[in-house]
Amino acid sequence: MRIVVLSDIHSNLEALDAVLQRARDERVEATYVLGDIVGYGADPNAVVARLGEQPSSVLIAGNHDLAATGRFDTEWFNPVAAEAIAWTESILDPDARAFLTALEPRGDAAEGLLVHGSVVDPAAEYVLNLEVARASFEAAEFGHCFFGHTHLPTLFIDEGGRIDGRALRDGAGVSLESNGGKRFMVNPGSVGQPRDGDPRASMMIYDTADRSAVVHRVPYPIERAAAKIRHAGLPAVLADRLAVGH
Ligand code: ZN
């Protein structure tokens, strides 16, 4: 089975539609969504509705989804992010609010553990280095963990207690085969607000037949998404950053 893994969509409908089209082209049969469905972008309701239409999907919440539904204090957010959360809360329709309120920042899927941040702190911790990754590997027994939050396509491997990690580029295929004990934490990057200098939407396709995972970077109409952010009265920096991918 081929699974598309999406994270940090951040209310960017143009980016989401582009990755869902690529997923259909790649004959994907299931969808994992690792949270931060809303926040920053201009289309929270349409993004939630689109995700609700996907068959065989497993979704969890990110810190922005928790904040937009009154479950995470925006005191922890920078002023721009907090302003976007306040705007999102004000515009969420009842269906979208109910959909997001039902999600938690950690979930179990058939092919692995899903967390938004880390296994230690699923809502808010950033897994950006080997030390933090090690703590997550030690915090639960899993073979495969899919995580988001950093907006960086990344792979961490635990091989008998030795932790390794690296960034994943467009088209990079990696093996997630356990081969006698290897364990994996993998981040598909961000659909709606990439931060690794490549402004294209990021997603991952995981094939359970050969345990391969491939990062796909997908072009989308960035200027259309940016124009909606400006038109909504959201902070202009949220529009400007889309074009540079930071
Ligand atoms: Zn995010």
Side-chain angles (χ1 to χ4, degrees):
M1 181 171 65
R2 287 160 75 72
I3 302 166
V4 61
V5 186
L6 307 176
S7 193
D8 297 276
I9 299 162
H10 283 298
S11 298
N12 187 333
L13 183 64
E14 285 71 24
L16 177 61
D17 279 342
V19 297
L20 290 176
Q21 182 58 52
R22 174 69 68 89
R24 281 191 293 273
D25 294 345
E26 296 280 337
R27 301 182 188 285
V28 156
E29 295 159 89
T31 307
Y32 292 170
V33 177
L34 307 178
D36 278 5
I37 294 164
V38 301
Y40 297 138
D43 276 313
N45 293 317
V47 161
V48 170
R50 197 72 97 242
L51 291 176
E53 296 162 2
Q54 302 311 307
S56 307
S57 54
V58 183
L59 302 95
I60 61 171
N63 52 321
H64 287 251
D65 307 318
L66 295 172
T69 51
R71 294 181 288 160
F72 194 93
D73 197 336
T74 50
E75 230 176 83
W76 295 96
F77 284 63
N78 68 53
V80 165
E83 189 177 337
I85 287 297
W87 179 88
T88 301
E89 260 189 301
S90 76
I91 204 169
L92 270 186
D93 66 38
D95 286 351
R97 188 184 312 277
F99 186 97
L100 294 174
T101 301
L103 304 181
E104 297 295 334
R106 173 179 171 143
D108 288 301
E111 298 301 332
L113 173 64
L114 313 185
V115 295
H116 178 65
S118 74
V119 180
V120 172
D121 178 355
E125 185 177 50
Y126 292 94
V127 184
L128 285 166
N129 60 52
L130 301 180
E131 270 30 79
V132 177
R134 175 185 297 284
S136 275
F137 278 117
E138 290 174 352
E141 286 184 26
F142 57 84
H144 298 83
C145 172
F146 297 92
F147 72 101
H149 196 38
T150 65
H151 296 212
L152 303 171
T154 321
L155 171 67
F156 290 100
I157 305 174
D158 172 8
E159 198 170 358
R162 195 174 62 88
I163 313 295
D164 214 345
R166 63 187 170 97
L168 299 175
R169 306 267 166 248
D170 181 29
V174 290
S175 171
L176 306 187
E177 191 77 66
S178 77
N179 282 335
K182 277 194 208 167
R183 305 164 68 213
F184 303 93
M185 293 184 68
V186 61
N187 186 323
S190 169
V191 172
Q193 197 193 80
R195 292 181 189 164
D196 62 351
D198 182 343
R200 295 175 296 174
S202 190
M203 68 177 214
M204 175 174 284
I205 294 180
Y206 177 48
D207 192 329
T208 61
D210 62 0
R211 304 237 174 251
S212 65
V214 181
V215 169
H216 293 251
R217 302 305 287 261
V218 185
Y220 75 95
I222 291 173
E223 198 38 55
R224 197 186 305 162
K228 285 181 178 176
I229 288 172
R230 294 189 193 97
H231 186 74
L234 285 158
V237 62
L238 295 174
D240 299 340
R241 70 187 302 175
L242 294 181
V244 289
H246 268 299

